[in-house]
Amino acid sequence: CLFNSWLLGRLVGEQGQLFEEEAIDRIRALKQQFGDVSLQVDGGMTPESAKKIFDAGAETAVVGSYIFGGEDPGAAIKHLESITLDATC
């Protein structure tokens, strides 16, 4: 990998915002232009949005509110892993 890049999946602002689907197009464009870039995506991550970013070519999902905003962070992590592990392995 030549370099890492961090991409926001939402507008800059408060934590807990929804993922913006336009980020998928940005991920694909970056992977097409710089194939060897490692992409980390932050913002609006849920199991569903994480799977979408992995399918588009991102390597890392930065997850905060989904895990720590609920009642059971451990269950949130397990749910996230159950949906996204197949996409990343």
Side-chain angles (χ1 to χ4, degrees), residues 13-80:
E14 294 184 25
Q15 193 171 5
Q17 293 183 45
L18 297 177
F19 179 75
E20 294 183 357
E21 295 293 324
E22 296 85 16
I24 300 300
D25 293 333
R26 293 194 307 266
I27 293 166
R28 288 188 181 124
L30 284 168
K31 290 304 266 190
Q32 184 176 5
Q33 187 172 0
F34 307 102
D36 202 24
V37 64
S38 175
L39 294 175
Q40 301 174 13
V41 182
D42 185 4
M45 287 295 107
T46 64
E48 295 77 17
S49 59
K51 181 166 181 359
K52 288 178 183 179
I53 66 147
F54 292 138
D55 289 346
E59 286 76 23
T60 305
V62 180
V63 184
S65 295
Y66 177 77
I67 293 172
F68 299 107
E71 293 181 20
D72 187 349
I77 291 170
K78 286 181 183 178
H79 185 225
L80 185 67

